[in-house]
Amino acid sequence: MADASIKKNSDIFVVSPEKLRRQRAAKFIGEGFLLAIASFVAVVVLFIFYFVAVDAVPFFQERGFAEFFTSTGWYPADDPGEFGALAIIYGSAMVTIGSALIAVPLGIAAAICLSDVLPFTVRQYAKPVIEMLAAIPSVAYGFFALVIFAPLLQNFGGTILMWAWWLIAGPFVLLAVIVIADVLAARVATESKERSLRTVLTLLFGIAAIGVLYGVGRTLSAIEILSGTNALNVSIILSFMALPTIVSVSEDSLQAVGRELREGSYALGATRAETIVKTILPAASSGILAAVILGIMRALGETMVVWMASGNSSQIPDPWFNYLESIRTLTATIAGDMGEADQVTGSARYHVLFAMGLLLLIFSFISNFISERIVVRQRKILAGE
Amino acid sequence: MKLMKKLFLFAALLSFAAAGPAQAKDIVMDGSTTVGPVAKSFAAYFTKTTGVQVTVSESGSGNGAKSLINGACDIANMSRAMKDKEVAAAKAKGVDPVQHVVALDGIAVVVHPSNYVSSLKIEQIRDIYIGKVTNWSQVGGPNAKIVVIQRESNSGTQDSFKSLVVGKGNAITKGAETQASNGAVKSRVGSTPAAIGFIGLGFVDDSVKPLVVNGVKPANETVKDGSYPVARPLFMYTNGQPTGNVKKFIELPKTDDGKRMISELGFVNKY
């Protein structure tokens, strides 16, 4: 009797066996379809890796590893050619690090501003504008860098450096002064004197910091830039190309930090600055890191801008951190040399370009792997494990 | 590019089949990328006026020579004379390479218009390019570090400049900037007061100042009479003295239309 009533009732809710079969079939097909797409992408990546590697191996078989990684002599067209890629690898590293140094602090600061400082209406309009930077084709950036920015750097290089230093480093340094004075005052003084001590310290440090900022700025203004197609030019342009990714993805992950975390922090008496630095940033750190890696990968893999505006000299600058000298990157070398090299398929000159491509692929795999690991670990820490 | 080549061959085969045995034999050209523009412009003109299909591949002078030796082309375009080694290889295969000068290729060494250096010896230019001279004051100019600009290693102009000025066994300084085209070099030199660069004669305009080399001004006339030192002839090679359509094609540089095409492309007429 009971069985019958259950069956009767459940008949209303449970679908008929036939419909269930159809649903299962649909689910199976759907899942299979998605799996196929996902594996297709994975297979494509593997194929690219495989074909680049296949054409890169003959180079190392013929010439070994030593020359490629330790020599700076890059004369591929000579007979016999020289294929030292050290300076070129170094050039790639230089513009990647240079653009990261500019784009990461600016990008994260901008993301924090958009997410937690500026009113919502500003964010509504500012974010799409920043994201639009990503829509500009890279050849347009390259053209700008070569035809407009390089002559500007040559003519007003020192002045541009000075103002860039004041405008970019200035706010960060002054912010640091305020935070340091704040912390020191809280450590040293009693509660009644804390406020006045903080003011005094802020003023003192502030004057010192302004002195340093001004001094460095004056020194920079004396610098003469002979040729505007150099590592600095490319780093600046690349940082603009990496910014939208960093700002947008960081801002998303900052927004994703739960309201209860913010409210909890304020409830404990934290200021807005403390909430941002001690609560929101750590909570969003894995997302921000992913944003940074994505941005840096954009800078490392970018070809057109570096080809047009880096000057393409296969040299290690003197001194090694001199961003005002022309450099050459892996991507630009592949782009620049492919035209002739592919006509003589099978030569070392052809295969060396694949060796460079392989190197780039390996770089991006490693950095993706590392960022993945850090993100996973960060999640565990946040989850309290 | 390999695919492109195959497509080209395929297209050539198709057109051959379409032309049929009634048509005279098509012309196949292979070789230098520097001569390429002339060859292609001639080919289009020749097909239009005679109906004979002309295929132009650009695989570099060396490969052009190889093609001629192997009988894979009727005309080998070369931006240098055939080496003894290549001539010997040809002879061994029963091929008799005959040289025809198509045009002359003058290279202007240019500086920023504000630079008061206006004349250099070819040795001075070489020293600048191999990094022995690094300041304009060393060659009678202002006290400024020289910004050396060259072309990508795949450029024919770069190749000629290296053999004509820098010389075998010398390496261009590692600090030299590399630009991708004649236009890019011109734009960099035109906007960089301390720069030196080299471009095809046809590209010179007011934005840069061409240097007088060894006392000779770069101009069509001085290239033609052989007095300007940074110039070289461009060649087409045939197997034996050409006959029929190939002969007609080879003689295009001597015609008015041929001369017009050559100067439009920025080269200098030989005839």
Side-chain angles (χ1 to χ4, degrees):
Chain A
M1 211 38 200
D3 274 4
S5 78
I6 285 171
K7 195 164 186 274
K8 205 183 172 199
N9 281 337
S10 62
D11 267 350
I12 303 165
F13 302 106
V14 173
V15 288
S16 65
E18 194 195 335
K19 202 170 179 190
L20 198 65
R21 262 202 305 279
R22 256 189 286 141
Q23 270 182 357
R24 280 206 185 118
K27 186 180 167 221
F28 183 75
I29 292 169
E31 280 177 353
F33 184 62
L34 291 177
L35 183 70
I37 293 175
S39 0
F40 176 70
V41 174
V43 166
V44 165
V45 171
L46 283 180
F47 260 96
I48 292 174
F49 208 111
Y50 172 76
F51 281 109
V52 170
V54 159
D55 263 323
V57 166
F59 174 79
F60 293 116
Q61 277 175 341
E62 196 187 320
R63 318 270 311 193
F65 289 94
E67 184 193 19
F68 187 77
F69 288 106
T70 61
S71 160
T72 60
W74 174 252
Y75 297 106
D78 283 7
D79 190 24
E82 270 184 67
F83 302 99
L86 182 63
I88 299 172
I89 296 168
Y90 183 75
S92 269
M94 219 172 151
V95 295
T96 308
I97 292 168
S99 57
L101 283 179
I102 303 170
V104 169
L106 278 183
I108 294 177
I112 292 171
C113 271
L114 286 178
S115 163
D116 283 83
V117 180
L118 296 171
F120 183 74
T121 38
V122 177
R123 171 180 177 270
Q124 230 177 345
Y125 293 108
K127 208 181 171 195
V129 170
I130 292 172
E131 280 168 352
M132 239 171 61
L133 279 175
I136 300 172
S138 62
V139 69
Y141 277 107
F143 189 74
F144 174 80
L146 177 66
V147 175
I148 297 167
F149 198 50
L152 268 181
L153 275 178
Q154 282 160 205
N155 298 333
F156 311 103
T159 320
I160 292 175
L161 285 179
M162 179 181 77
W163 280 102
W165 165 256
W166 284 348
L167 291 176
I168 296 173
F172 282 102
V173 170
L174 294 179
L175 200 68
V177 164
I178 294 170
V179 172
I180 291 171
D182 202 35
V183 172
L184 267 185
R187 283 268 165 84
V188 177
T190 56
E191 211 167 315
S192 56
K193 287 183 183 162
E194 190 187 321
R195 199 168 168 162
S196 50
L197 183 64
R198 189 197 295 162
T199 316
V200 171
L201 281 177
T202 308
L203 273 176
L204 273 179
F205 286 159
I207 291 166
I210 287 172
V212 170
L213 279 172
Y214 182 77
V216 174
R218 292 297 299 185
T219 319
L220 285 176
S221 77
I223 289 176
E224 258 187 68
I225 300 178
L226 270 175
S227 175
T229 47
N230 54 30
L232 176 72
N233 182 339
V234 172
S235 298
I236 291 173
I237 304 290
L238 287 184
S239 71
F240 275 103
M241 298 176 77
L243 264 180
T245 313
I246 298 181
V247 174
S248 186
V249 179
S250 304
E251 205 265 349
D252 283 343
S253 57
L254 285 170
Q255 284 287 306
V257 173
R259 207 179 149 79
E260 65 278 6
L261 273 180
R262 286 188 174 82
E263 282 170 357
S265 176
Y266 288 130
L268 288 171
T271 62
R272 193 203 272 189
E274 283 168 334
T275 306
I276 291 171
V277 174
K278 292 184 178 160
T279 307
I280 302 175
L281 274 182
S285 61
S286 63
I288 292 174
L289 187 83
V292 167
I293 298 269
L294 278 176
I296 288 176
M297 281 295 106
R298 168 100 158 123
L300 178 67
E302 170 52 42
T303 306
M304 209 60 211
V305 169
V306 280
W307 191 22
M308 291 169 89
S310 71
N312 294 318
S313 317
S314 47
Q315 61 171 347
I316 291 178
D318 177 38
W320 57 271
F321 50 83
N322 187 353
Y323 272 85
L324 303 177
E325 278 193 26
S326 150
I327 48 92
R328 190 182 187 98
T329 69
L330 291 166
T331 50
T333 304
I334 296 173
D337 268 28
M338 210 52 179
E340 176 85 341
D342 74 338
Q343 306 287 5
V344 276
T345 309
S347 66
R349 194 177 166 195
Y350 174 80
H351 291 304
V352 72
L353 299 180
F354 284 88
M356 290 179 168
L358 186 64
L359 201 62
L360 279 171
L361 274 178
I362 291 173
F363 274 150
S364 58
F365 270 85
I366 290 175
S367 54
N368 270 330
F369 181 73
I370 292 173
S371 71
E372 198 72 19
R373 293 300 294 268
I374 296 177
V375 167
V376 167
R377 194 196 295 167
Q378 190 66 30
R379 271 201 201 120
K380 276 186 185 164
I381 291 170
L382 283 176
E385 282 174 36
Chain B
M1 268 311 177
K2 255 159 87 190
L3 181 70
M4 284 289 278
K5 242 183 169 175
K6 270 182 198 155
L7 279 176
F8 260 122
L9 277 177
F10 185 62
L13 280 175
L14 267 186
S15 61
F16 189 76
Q23 273 282 1
K25 196 177 162 291
D26 298 344
I27 299 175
V28 180
M29 305 176 86
D30 192 4
S32 162
T33 51
T34 314
V35 188
V38 180
K40 278 193 280 197
S41 152
F42 279 10
Y45 173 83
F46 201 68
T47 306
K48 209 172 72 188
T49 50
T50 66
V52 176
Q53 293 294 328
V54 184
T55 323
V56 183
S57 308
E58 296 174 272
S59 59
S61 294
N63 284 350
K66 239 181 259 168
S67 289
L68 188 76
I69 294 167
N70 296 331
C73 69
D74 304 306
I75 302 173
N77 301 326
M78 296 185 67
S79 59
R80 57 169 171 81
M82 239 187 219
K83 294 173 185 161
D84 294 343
K85 223 166 52 183
E86 288 162 339
V87 174
K91 290 267 154 63
K93 282 213 169 186
V95 174
D96 170 33
V98 177
Q99 184 189 76
H100 311 269
V101 176
V102 183
L104 303 169
D105 184 18
I107 300 171
V109 181
V110 292
V111 297
H112 193 265
S114 74
N115 194 334
Y116 53 79
V117 172
S118 61
S119 160
L120 286 178
K121 285 206 153 30
I122 206 160
E123 294 79 25
Q124 291 176 309
I125 302 173
R126 182 196 63 207
D127 287 350
I128 289 172
Y129 269 87
I130 64 177
K132 226 164 101 185
V133 168
T134 54
N135 195 300
W136 279 111
S137 63
Q138 288 169 273
V139 290
N143 179 22
K145 208 170 155 255
I146 302 176
V147 176
V148 179
I149 297 174
Q150 62 165 345
R151 292 281 305 280
E152 284 292 346
S153 58
N154 63 15
S155 145
T157 315
Q158 165 85 0
D159 202 46
S160 326
F161 183 83
K162 260 172 82 179
S163 59
L164 290 166
V165 178
V166 181
K168 276 221 155 32
N170 288 329
I172 290 181
T173 168
K174 282 176 189 164
E177 283 189 19
T178 310
Q179 292 297 336
S181 65
N182 276 303
V185 172
K186 192 176 72 180
S187 134
R188 284 300 299 145
V189 173
S191 62
T192 311
I196 187 169
F198 53 84
I199 55 181
L201 203 54
F203 289 90
V204 174
D205 62 20
D206 288 347
S207 67
V208 292
K209 183 167 83 173
L211 291 178
V212 171
V213 181
N214 284 358
V216 182
K217 221 179 136 209
N220 284 5
E221 302 76 53
T222 55
V223 169
K224 209 177 214 170
D225 66 23
S227 58
Y228 183 67
V230 198
R232 59 164 177 181
L234 303 178
F235 303 106
M236 288 184 185
Y237 277 86
T238 54
N239 177 10
Q241 285 299 337
T243 54
N245 279 330
V246 175
K247 183 175 160 60
K248 261 199 240 165
F249 191 92
I250 285 286
E251 285 177 350
L252 273 181
K254 294 173 185 169
T255 66
D256 287 345
D257 283 338
K259 284 178 189 168
R260 183 180 45 78
M261 285 185 273
I262 286 170
S263 47
E264 268 173 9
L265 290 164
F267 295 106
V268 177
N269 283 298
K270 152 91 176 171
Y271 302 100

